[in-house]
């Protein structure tokens, strides 16, 4: 099973493949743009790509990691396991037991 971050990166790539206009905007960024921003061209493109994908997720009111896992993982059982692992780690980072987290979030 991939990490949530790996699913997120894969889903973001899929998003840009499905939206060539956004990819074209990233490709149009120049070395001069990067210099003005004080970044490398690669870093500037990655920064804008993240902002575009995050804006899409916010507009659709989606949890970025859960949506990304669902988009990038074709095997539904593996996706369900990855989502559960992600949510369990989220619960742990909040200092909650899995049971408390499920009750609080009505899972």
């Amino acid at each position: 099973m991939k990490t949530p971050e790996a699913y997120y990166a894969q889903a973001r790539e899929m998003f840009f493949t499905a939206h060539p206009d956004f990819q074209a905007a990233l490709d149009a960024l120049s070395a001069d743009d990067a210099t003005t921003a004080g970044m490398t061209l690669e870093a500037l493109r990655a920064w804008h790509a993240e902002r575009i994908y995050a804006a899409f997720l916010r507009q659709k009111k989606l949890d970025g990691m859960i949506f990304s896992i669902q988009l990038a993982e074709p095997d539904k059982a593996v996706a369900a396991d990855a989502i559960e692992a992600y949510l369990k780690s989220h619960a742990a980072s909040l200092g909650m037991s899995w049971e408390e987290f499920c009750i609080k979030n009505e899972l």
Side-chain angles (χ1 to χ4, degrees):
M1 183 175 1
K2 299 177 197 169
T3 65
E5 295 79 14
Y7 281 118
Y8 186 90
Q10 183 181 353
R12 192 174 80 180
E13 286 178 25
M14 294 169 74
F15 172 82
F16 282 99
T17 299
H19 296 89
D21 51 332
F22 289 134
Q23 184 61 55
L26 293 176
D27 293 341
L29 292 169
S30 69
D32 288 340
D33 297 326
T35 300
T36 300
M39 305 171 90
T40 66
L41 182 56
E42 181 179 312
L44 182 63
R45 286 181 174 156
W47 183 77
H48 278 291
E50 179 57 32
R51 290 178 51 96
I52 291 166
Y53 187 57
F56 165 78
L57 294 169
R58 275 191 313 275
Q59 185 215 16
K60 299 292 185 183
K61 297 180 179 157
L62 298 169
D63 178 297
M65 288 298 185
I66 293 174
F67 173 76
S68 296
I69 293 168
Q70 290 171 327
L71 181 63
E73 180 54 65
D75 185 319
K76 299 295 183 203
V78 173
D81 290 343
I83 289 168
E84 184 175 331
Y86 163 69
L87 291 174
K88 283 183 176 179
S89 71
H90 190 65
S93 70
L94 293 171
M96 300 174 78
S97 72
W98 177 236
E99 293 75 22
E100 290 172 319
F101 185 83
C102 287
I103 290 167
K104 183 176 188 316
N105 292 285
E106 300 177 3
L107 300 177

